[in-house]
Amino acid sequence: MHATEPNIGRYGVFGGQYVPETLMPALQDLERAFLEAQQDSEFQKEFQRQLKTYAGRETPLTKTQNLSGRTPGAVVYLKREDLLHTGAHKINNTIGQALLARFMGRKRIIAETGAGQHGVATATVAALFGMECRVFMGTEDMKRQSLNVARMRMLGAEVAPVESGTCTLKEAMNEAMRYWASCVRDTHYVVGTAAGPHPYPMIVRQFQQVIGEETRRQVYENEGRLPDLLIACVGGGSNAIGMFYPFLRDENVRMVGVEAGGLGLDTKLHAASLNGGRLGVLHGCMSYVLQDAEGQIRNAHSISAGLDYPGVGPEHGYLFESGRVHYATIKDGEAVEAARRLAQEEGIIPALESAHALAWLYRNEERLEPGSIVVLCLSGRGDKDMATFMRELKLEDPEVKK
C-alpha cells in the first residue's frame, strides 16, 4: 500500500497546500523542478555520488550483541544513520534539496531547526555547494543545543534567533516561512521534516527513503528474508517515513512509530500529535496537530528538541488513521534511561530522538516473537544531547563540581 499519488499532494484527507497566495507560485515551481529532477539522470547520478562519497552511505546495519542475546530468540539490528557525516539522517535530505536548489538556479538557502541537526546539515551543504545560508532557530533550542549553534556558525551560516512563543521549532518554522515569502525568487527553503505544504512531504520522503531501501537489501543479505518489525521515532517524521515507505506494500512487516510522550498524555506536556492531537492545519498542511479547546495550536513539550513539535507529517496522519503503522508514546525519563542502557550495553550513545524508539523496544523486548527480525532506525548520535544526559543522569564528577 502506498499512501499517495505524487502529483496530488494528498494522503487521504491529509496534506495539501494551506499557504498565502504569495507562496503558491514558488511551491508550483518547486514541484515542477522536483519532478523534472527525478527524471534527470545527471541529477540522480550526482545525488547518489554525494550520498556515497560525502555523506558516507551506505550506513551499516549493526546486529546488537547484547540486546539480541537477551530477547527470546529475536535478532535486533540498528540502522546506523548516526554514522553519517554531521551525525544524523538529516544530511540525506539536505544534499538532495541543495542539489534541487542548484537545479533551479538558486544560490541562497534558508532552513529552520530544532535540535540543530537539520541546521548543521543545511549549513554543511551550503558550504559544500557555495551557497549563502540562513538558519532560523528558537532561542530556547539555541540554549539547549549551543554546540550545534556554534557548528552552524563555524560552517559559515547565519543563525537567526527566534524569540516568539515557546522559542522552539514551531516558531522557527513560522519565521522561516514568513521570511521565505519575502524572497522566494532567489531563495530555496530547505524544509527539514516530512511536513509543510505540498510538495515538501513528498520531497523529504523521497530523499530519505534511501534508509528503508538500504535496510530492505541489507536485512535480506543477512537473513535471507524481510524483517518482521521496524521501529523509528516520530517528531515531524522524516527518518520514520524514510524507513517505512519502501516496506508499506509488505503486509507482514509491522511498523511502529514512537512519539514523544513528554511528561505523559494525561498532562499537556507532551509532543504526541497523533496520540494526543486532532485534525488541523499547521505550517501549510492538514495533519494531526496539538490544539486547545478553541482550536489554537498548543505548545509541545519534549526533552528532545528534535521531537518538540506540535504537528506531524501528513503521510504519518494517513498511516495512523489507516492502521498500517502503530504509533506509541514514550515519556522523557524512559528515553533518557534507554539512551543510558544502549550506551552501556552496546557502546553506542544515541540521540535523544532515537532513544524514544529504543525505549519502546526495551519496554516490549520480552514480547518479541522468537526468531523475529527487528530493525530500529538509529537516526542520530547523542553528542548534541550530552548536556541533557549529564544533567538527567547526574554524570558530572562531584569532586570537580566542588
Side-chain angles (χ1 to χ4, degrees):
M1 178 185 72
H2 278 200
T4 183
E5 295 296 329
N7 60 346
I8 294 176
R10 285 283 183 180
Y11 311 83
V13 301
F14 303 95
Q17 293 172 313
Y18 299 84
V19 295
E21 284 197 17
T22 52
L23 285 180
M24 288 302 294
L27 292 171
Q28 289 163 355
D29 287 346
L30 179 60
E31 181 185 21
R32 278 193 294 271
F34 174 72
L35 295 176
E36 187 180 342
Q38 290 301 104
Q39 302 301 317
D40 187 296
S41 60
E42 290 302 313
F43 180 94
Q44 293 303 324
K45 191 184 301 179
E46 179 64 7
F47 179 51
Q48 294 302 325
R49 187 180 76 82
Q50 294 291 349
L51 288 182
K52 180 178 180 180
T53 65
Y54 189 76
R57 303 209 74 91
E58 65 181 34
T59 58
L61 189 69
T62 300
K63 182 178 178 179
T64 56
Q65 299 297 304
N66 299 305
L67 182 55
S68 290
R70 193 172 56 245
T71 56
V75 178
V76 180
Y77 287 95
L78 303 175
K79 181 57 175 166
R80 301 294 305 280
E81 298 298 290
D82 60 313
L83 295 180
L84 286 168
H85 180 45
T86 71
H89 70 292
K90 296 292 187 181
I91 193 72
N92 304 322
N93 172 51
T94 56
I95 286 176
Q97 288 205 45
L99 288 173
L100 187 57
R102 194 170 70 174
F103 190 77
M104 298 173 70
R106 308 285 163 78
K107 296 181 179 178
R108 190 164 179 269
I109 57 178
I110 63 169
E112 87 299 324
T113 194
Q117 292 300 92
H118 175 59
V120 170
T122 304
T124 297
V125 297
L128 177 66
F129 296 123
M131 295 174 166
E132 186 182 335
C133 179
R134 185 174 198 182
V135 180
F136 294 88
M137 189 171 191
T139 50
E140 178 60 29
D141 287 338
M142 290 178 72
K143 291 177 193 170
R144 289 194 284 186
Q145 300 294 339
S146 58
L147 177 61
N148 276 339
V149 173
R151 292 170 75 193
M152 285 184 269
R153 287 173 173 160
M154 186 166 180
L155 288 160
E158 176 193 355
V159 180
V162 178
E163 295 184 337
S164 56
T166 57
C167 307
T168 58
L169 180 58
K170 173 170 69 72
E171 286 77 20
M173 199 162 179
N174 287 341
E175 192 57 33
M177 293 197 85
R178 268 195 294 269
Y179 182 81
W180 190 41
S182 70
C183 57
V184 290
R185 291 186 177 178
D186 67 351
T187 302
H188 174 65
Y189 178 12
V190 183
V191 171
T193 193
H198 175 72
Y200 278 109
M202 176 179 69
I203 289 174
V204 175
R205 180 244 286 152
Q206 182 67 28
F207 289 140
Q208 291 293 3
Q209 72 179 40
V210 64
I211 302 171
E213 290 168 349
E214 284 181 10
T215 298
R216 189 181 180 90
R217 184 175 67 252
Q218 291 170 324
V219 172
Y220 209 89
E221 288 171 357
N222 287 356
E223 302 289 342
R225 66 180 181 88
L226 295 179
D228 299 289
L229 174 63
L230 303 176
I231 312 167
C233 63
V234 176
S238 65
N239 90 95
I241 201 67
M243 166 73 93
F244 295 161
Y245 189 73
F247 293 92
L248 288 178
R249 294 180 188 275
D250 301 298
E251 294 181 358
N252 292 330
V253 180
R254 290 176 56 218
M255 304 178 197
V256 176
V258 185
E259 295 191 291
L263 300 186
L265 292 184
D266 54 341
T267 74
K268 293 182 178 179
L269 297 174
H270 62 79
S273 303
L274 292 167
N275 285 287
R278 65 180 194 272
L279 196 63
V281 172
L282 177 64
H283 294 143
C285 72
M286 178 78 72
S287 189
Y288 277 87
V289 180
L290 297 182
Q291 301 170 62
D292 63 19
E294 285 74 42
Q296 299 298 311
I297 304 301
R298 192 156 57 75
N299 293 333
H301 162 83
S302 172
I303 196 169
S304 167
L307 301 180
D308 197 354
Y309 181 63
V312 64
E315 196 162 4
H316 286 292
Y318 177 85
L319 296 171
F320 172 71
E321 200 153 273
S322 69
R324 178 64 185 93
V325 177
H326 171 67
Y327 292 88
T329 62
I330 284 293
K331 293 183 180 179
D332 289 347
E334 296 176 282
V336 172
E337 176 58 19
R340 185 196 64 76
R341 285 186 62 178
L342 189 76
Q344 297 185 4
E345 292 178 352
E346 302 289 342
I348 299 169
I349 301 176
L352 264 169
E353 292 89 336
S354 312
H356 285 71
L358 284 161
W360 186 90
L361 176 62
Y362 285 130
R363 182 196 287 171
N364 292 280
E365 61 182 309
E366 293 183 359
R367 300 177 191 170
L368 297 176
E369 290 291 325
S372 60
I373 301 168
V374 180
V375 183
L376 184 146
C377 185
L378 204 68
S379 58
R381 65 180 180 233
D383 307 36
K384 67 182 177 57
D385 296 314
M386 281 310 299
T388 303
F389 292 142
M390 289 173 69
R391 183 185 69 242
E392 297 295 321
L393 296 172
K394 298 179 172 47
L395 301 177
E396 290 186 41
D397 188 327
E399 294 303 316
V400 173
K401 202 173 180 180
K402 288 177 184 175

